[in-house]
Every structure is written in structure tokens, then in C-alpha cells.
Amino acid sequence: MGFIKDADQSPPEHARVYIAPAPDGASPATEVRSWPNRDGEQLFEIAFIVPRGEKHLHAWVGFMAETLDRMGWDRWWIDTLSISQVLNRYIVDAVRQWGEAFWPLYQRDAVALIQVGLQREDFQNCAENWARQFPHVSVDDEYDFERITLELEAQAMEERAKRRFFGLHRLLHARNRTN
């Protein structure tokens, strides 16, 4: 399991998985979509269209796990905001509740990314709790794209600062020689 801040951090080979509310009384259903991105890579997503409210979670979470397993997707990310909206709960509580119901049912060897938004620490705690509860779930720094992105941005800022410093140093040094 890894982390992304938002959809833009997701590698293109990771399909988006999200939850959408079904009309009252409708059975759980799915919609799969695909389109090319700017680089010509094919992107995929699946919507699980399910009854709204946390009381219905156990009525569809097994359907979700089974469908993802049958599809054979081994790289996907979960849209956490969509879980919150369908369960009508605060985002971290909704995702925690979803994970506790989902992970016992989904055991495919896969890389699942959690969309953390601004709640990085809370979702890290959720993932670590799931890893303790379910032996087949683990958190891997290799797939922590949110952390990797932050490290790359910090490294780029440091390099720009060094270039400015050396440029300023050369400019001042050149001025001192002409005086």
C-alpha cells in the first residue's frame, strides 16, 4: 500500500477506484471508463455505484472486493473523498471503516494507493492499523508517491538555491576583481 496526495500524483498504470451513490433501492453496479491522457497512456477507472449511507457498507464492500479481484487489476488507487461522500462520514472515519470491511475480503497481490489529500498522517495511521490487523496488507515506502514528490520538490528547490548562490558569488567575485 502507498499514498498519493491527489489524482495528479498517481502513476498512469494505477486505475482510479471510486464510489458513487446509487438511486434509492438500486442494487450495487459498476461502470468502467477508459481514455488516453496527454502522453497517450491509457487511463482506467471503475465506479462502484452503491447505496448511500454507512449502514449499507457491508451490503456492497464484498461486491467491490470480488469485482476488483476478478478484473485482475494489480495497481489501483482509492478516491477517499468518494468513500466519505457515500458513507456520509468524515473522510478519515469513512476510509477507516471502509478498510476494516474491505481488506479481510480483498487478498489479491496488488499495489493499492490511498489518496491522502491534506490528511496524510491520519491516513498513514489507518494504513498501519490495517497492516497490523490483516497480515496480507503492508505499507511500502516505494509506493509513497506523496513523500517522493515532496522530496523531489525539496531537492529541486535546494538545487535552485545553490545555483543562485553560485551565480551571485561569481557576480560579486567578478566585481571585486575589477575594482
Side-chain angles (χ1 to χ4, degrees), residues 84-117:
S84 173
Q85 292 171 337
V86 167
L87 295 184
N88 293 327
R89 300 217 33 197
Y90 170 66
I91 190 167
V92 175
D93 294 336
V95 172
R96 182 179 298 114
Q97 187 176 11
W98 166 81
E100 288 172 0
F102 177 79
W103 292 116
L105 304 173
Y106 182 80
Q107 301 203 10
R108 172 175 282 282
D109 187 15
V111 176
L113 305 175
I114 305 296
Q115 177 189 14
V116 298

Side-chain angles (χ1 to χ4, degrees), residues 5-176:
K5 182 173 184 170
D6 53 35
D8 292 338
Q9 281 187 347
S10 176
E13 66 272 12
H14 284 72
R16 176 181 179 225
V17 174
Y18 70 101
I19 318 301
D24 287 339
S27 297
T30 58
E31 289 181 10
V32 177
R33 298 182 186 106
S34 176
W35 65 94
N37 67 8
R38 290 181 294 244
D39 300 326
E41 300 160 313
Q42 201 67 19
L43 303 179
F44 292 90
E45 70 179 20
I46 184 169
F48 287 90
I49 305 160
V50 301
R52 185 182 294 277
E54 67 182 295
K55 68 183 178 190
H56 297 293
L57 173 63
H58 290 282
W60 57 262
V61 74
F63 170 71
M64 179 183 192
E66 181 182 324
T67 302
L68 286 171
D69 187 51
R70 275 196 337 258
M71 291 183 74
W73 286 0
D74 62 356
R75 297 189 180 275
W76 51 272
W77 65 275
I78 187 71
D79 182 322
T80 53
L81 182 59
S82 71
I83 295 173
S84 173
Q85 292 171 337
V86 167
L87 295 184
N88 293 327
R89 300 217 33 197
Y90 170 66
I91 190 167
V92 175
D93 294 336
V95 172
R96 182 179 298 114
Q97 187 176 11
W98 166 81
E100 288 172 0
F102 177 79
W103 292 116
L105 304 173
Y106 182 80
Q107 301 203 10
R108 172 175 282 282
D109 187 15
V111 176
L113 305 175
I114 305 296
Q115 177 189 14
V116 298
L118 299 175
Q119 290 87 6
R120 166 54 194 248
E121 189 175 318
D122 292 332
F123 284 122
Q124 175 92 31
N125 290 336
C126 277
E128 289 170 356
N129 285 333
W130 297 332
R132 281 191 291 279
Q133 286 180 304
F134 312 112
H136 64 284
V137 175
S138 65
V139 178
D140 190 332
D141 286 343
E142 179 182 352
Y143 302 108
D144 189 343
F145 296 105
E146 202 249 348
R147 179 190 51 79
I148 292 167
T149 299
L150 291 174
E151 288 174 359
L152 291 173
E153 288 171 355
Q155 189 177 45
M157 285 178 56
E158 186 177 311
E159 288 173 12
R160 283 192 299 271
K162 282 181 186 176
R163 282 195 300 271
R164 280 192 297 255
F165 173 77
F166 288 125
L168 182 60
H169 176 71
R170 275 190 243 129
L171 178 66
L172 292 174
H173 185 68
R175 267 193 193 160
N176 289 340

